[in-house]
Structures are given as structure tokens and as C-alpha cells.
Amino acid sequence: MKIRVCSYAELEAEGKRAVVADRKAVVIVRARDGRVYALRDVCPHKGPCLSAGMIDRGCAGERVGVYVYEPEVEVLRCPWHSWEFDIRTGRSLFAPERVKVKTYPVTVEDGDIYVEVQ
Ligand code: FES
């Protein structure tokens, strides 16, 4: 089911926006390149809204204390314990195959954003 959730202009002003689509909590995120992504607005750890977190650049490292910025990766950081999720895939940076957030297909049509939820 494809549902209009907000206008692109509304999203552009805020960078992210919490919406409800077919009774599902969804966070809409605008990347630096202008693309739009939709993720379930619930952290898989303890459940707070990811929309209350910050958007930041992704960072990786081979061991504790080593940080390498990955410019193509943007993350949504949970406001409670700072788990980071790639906004494109919903995968966590620390365990991408095991810990992830559901993502939804997004389209932008005539200045409006639509999310497909099943
Ligand atoms: S509740 Fe989100 S990282 Fe812990």
C-alpha cells in the first residue's frame, strides 16, 4: 500500500520526520544528496523512536579507538545508546547481518513523499 506521508519541502526543513503509515511508525530521512529513505521508527534494542536521534556520517574502524569516516554512509543514531543504522539499508554498523531496522520503499512524486508499507 503506497501512502503519502509528507511533502519534500517539510522533510527538507527538518532532515528527518516521524510519520505514521498504515498504523506503522516510520521515520523519513533525507540524505545529503537529496535522496529519501524510510525506516521503521523503532530501535531494535530497547524500542525508542529513532526519529529522536541524530543523522550523522558513518564511521568504521578495525579496533576500538580507531575511527575511519566513510563519506558515502549516513547513519541514524539511536537517542538512547547510540546504535547507528545505515539510512539506506537499515543495517547496524556493528552487526549489519544480525541487527537491522526494517526499511520501506519511498518515492517522491510532484513534491510529495510516498512510502510503501505492507
Ligand atoms: S535503545 Fe536504541 S541503542 Fe539502545
Side-chain angles (χ1 to χ4, degrees):
M1 178 187 314
K2 186 171 157 182
I3 299 171
R4 182 197 178 278
V5 291
C6 64
S7 72
Y8 190 85
E10 289 171 319
L11 180 66
E12 198 162 35
E14 302 167 8
K16 59 182 166 43
R17 187 175 183 95
V19 299
V20 175
D22 193 30
R23 291 182 281 167
K24 294 177 177 68
V26 176
V27 56
I28 310 295
V29 180
R30 180 180 51 82
R32 285 190 306 272
D33 65 4
R35 292 185 191 178
V36 180
Y37 300 94
L39 302 90
R40 185 171 184 232
D41 195 9
V42 178
C43 178
H45 184 210
K46 298 286 183 181
C49 294
L50 290 173
S51 57
M54 291 180 55
I55 301 169
D56 203 352
R57 294 181 181 194
C59 191
E62 294 181 4
R63 63 183 192 282
V64 174
V66 175
Y67 301 98
V68 179
Y69 280 101
E70 298 184 15
E72 74 281 1
V73 177
E74 289 178 80
V75 297
L76 187 54
R77 182 177 299 127
C78 177
W80 284 12
H81 309 106
S82 301
W83 287 10
E84 296 174 319
F85 300 93
D86 187 323
I87 64 172
R88 301 167 302 176
T89 64
R91 294 173 184 265
S92 66
L93 294 193
F94 69 94
E97 297 303 323
R98 190 171 48 84
V99 180
K100 48 193 159 190
V101 176
K102 182 172 180 53
T103 58
Y104 301 96
V106 179
T107 54
V108 180
E109 299 172 19
D110 296 328
D112 290 317
I113 297 172
Y114 295 84
V115 175
E116 285 185 45
V117 292
Q118 298 84 18

